[in-house]
Amino acid sequence: KFTGNFFYDYMMGIEFNPRIGKWFDFKLFFNGRPGIVAWTLINLSFAAKQQELYGEVTNSMILVNVLQGIYVLDFFWNEAWYLKTIDICHDHFGWYLGWGDCVWLPYLYTLQGLYLVYHPVQLCTAHAIGVLMLGLLGYYIFRMTNHQKDLFRRTNGNCRIWGKKPEYIECSYVAVDGTKYYSKLMTSGFWGWARHFNYTGDLMGSLAYCLTCGFEHILPYFYIVYMTILLTHRCIRDEHRCSSKYGKDWKKYTAAVPYRLLPGIF
Ligand code: NDP
């Protein structure tokens, strides 16, 4: 897909699913292997470095390793779900995904661990429990929201969400070849609270990672600033795409679920 703008094409990619042979898929490999595995390995090596330098591993370092480790384990456990995300279903493979996965992710997502090597923080019990609770709650919302949509789409709405049949809006769209397709947008469960409550859960988890570092320095908080920009931009980008895909049906959906991330606020 060439847009005519060389820099945009380079950044966002041209090929949708570049492959070598049958088994090596560039998008799947780069999104789901080097960076995300390195994230955990680098975090563990930071914990080992703390042990080497100070003879102990702080509770903040353990929290970072546990909370971020859960996120990475979840990725591998639910890999089939991951094939339905925007990265795989809609984005093309270019600099944005390649550099993001191989450079940005392993360097930036390990920021808290790196900070704690040079500025070890031993959190008081209340602070540590608060961070753990926020991180686990964020993870729960992230996982359940994604699970609800996955289940809803896989069963074509023939499932139960919170013990009830899901509510939804019937949508249609016309593909480039002129064929008309039908789809459904769920308006109950977490998807009835906000249009991207999965991002809200992700952001709660991201804030918990930052809070493990205490309040001495602003650097570890760069992560939550970045994630807020990334996910808000992603939300707007996705809604723009859905609006042109579903037209008036998208308007019905946004009227039924008026908020994007925070019910009653945004
Ligand atoms: P979503 O999983 O939210 O997928 C959005 C798509 O889902 C839309 O394009 C639309 O696709 C469909 N959809 C939207 N609303 C509904 C609805 N109400 N009912 C059914 N289907 C709907 O987005 P992402 O792929 O961006 O995110 C997946 C997860 O990955 C999120 O939890 C996010 O936080 C996380 N993530 C984490 C990142 C990180 O760096 N840590 C980076 C990016 C994502 P369709 O055209 O099929 O209708």
Side-chain angles (χ1 to χ4, degrees):
K1 191 183 77 172
F2 288 93
T3 62
N5 180 329
F6 172 80
F7 293 103
Y8 186 86
D9 288 347
Y10 178 73
M11 170 118 179
M12 298 312 285
I14 296 158
E15 285 280 338
F16 187 47
N17 282 311
R19 287 199 177 135
I20 300 178
K22 195 175 165 200
W23 299 109
F24 190 87
D25 182 304
F26 276 80
K27 232 161 48 173
L28 202 52
F29 176 76
F30 283 104
N31 274 359
R33 292 294 179 268
I36 202 145
V37 172
W39 187 2
T40 303
L41 295 180
I42 293 170
N43 270 348
L44 286 171
S45 71
F46 286 149
K49 189 68 187 172
Q50 256 200 354
Q51 179 69 38
E52 184 186 301
L53 289 177
Y54 312 109
E56 62 162 3
V57 179
T58 59
N59 60 0
S60 50
M61 181 65 93
I62 294 172
L63 273 172
V64 164
N65 268 271
V66 168
L67 290 175
Q68 298 188 349
I70 290 174
Y71 196 88
V72 172
L73 264 182
D74 176 277
F75 175 86
F76 286 103
W77 192 259
N78 294 297
E79 206 171 27
W81 155 79
Y82 179 68
L83 299 176
K84 313 261 173 52
T85 60
I86 294 175
D87 290 347
I88 299 291
C89 289
H90 304 297
D91 286 347
H92 292 232
F93 185 72
W95 184 89
Y96 179 80
L97 282 185
W99 191 85
D101 293 332
C102 293
V103 183
W104 189 250
L105 194 160
Y107 279 91
L108 187 84
Y109 288 30
T110 52
L111 191 62
Q112 289 81 27
L114 176 65
Y115 175 83
L116 291 170
V117 168
Y118 296 106
H119 307 271
V121 174
Q122 190 66 31
L123 299 170
C124 70
T125 311
H127 188 144
I129 292 176
V131 167
L132 182 65
M133 290 296 128
L134 179 67
L136 292 179
L137 180 65
Y139 170 71
Y140 174 79
I141 291 174
F142 161 85
R143 169 61 17 236
M144 287 315 294
T145 313
N146 286 321
H147 169 71
Q148 286 179 356
K149 189 190 81 175
D150 185 40
L151 181 68
F152 173 77
R153 280 284 170 94
R154 255 192 298 121
T155 59
N156 196 26
N158 293 313
C159 59
R160 297 190 86 74
I161 302 291
W162 293 343
K164 287 190 275 189
K165 271 198 85 61
E167 292 162 23
Y168 54 83
I169 284 173
E170 294 273 6
C171 307
S172 63
Y173 60 95
V174 179
V176 195
D177 62 4
T179 319
K180 190 169 183 177
Y181 291 95
Y182 293 90
S183 183
K184 294 181 171 76
L185 292 168
M186 182 163 47
T187 54
S188 60
F190 281 126
W191 293 86
W193 288 17
R195 300 200 291 272
H196 281 282
F197 212 58
N198 49 352
Y199 293 178
T200 309
D202 215 340
L203 289 174
M204 287 165 71
S206 305
L207 179 64
Y209 308 158
C210 301
L211 288 169
T212 56
C213 298
F215 304 106
E216 287 285 301
H217 206 290
I218 201 165
L219 182 73
Y221 289 84
F222 177 69
Y223 184 72
I224 181 67
V225 173
Y226 160 72
M227 283 300 284
T228 307
I229 295 170
L230 174 92
L231 292 178
T232 311
H233 172 247
R234 201 177 172 87
C235 179
I236 292 165
R237 196 161 63 98
D238 183 50
E239 300 216 337
H240 181 68
R241 195 189 63 79
C242 288
S243 171
S244 27
K245 178 175 174 183
Y246 294 122
K248 63 177 176 17
D249 293 333
W250 183 254
K251 284 209 177 86
K252 271 196 237 164
Y253 171 62
T254 54
V257 187
Y259 295 102
R260 282 174 164 142
L261 295 174
L262 289 173
I265 299 173
F266 174 68

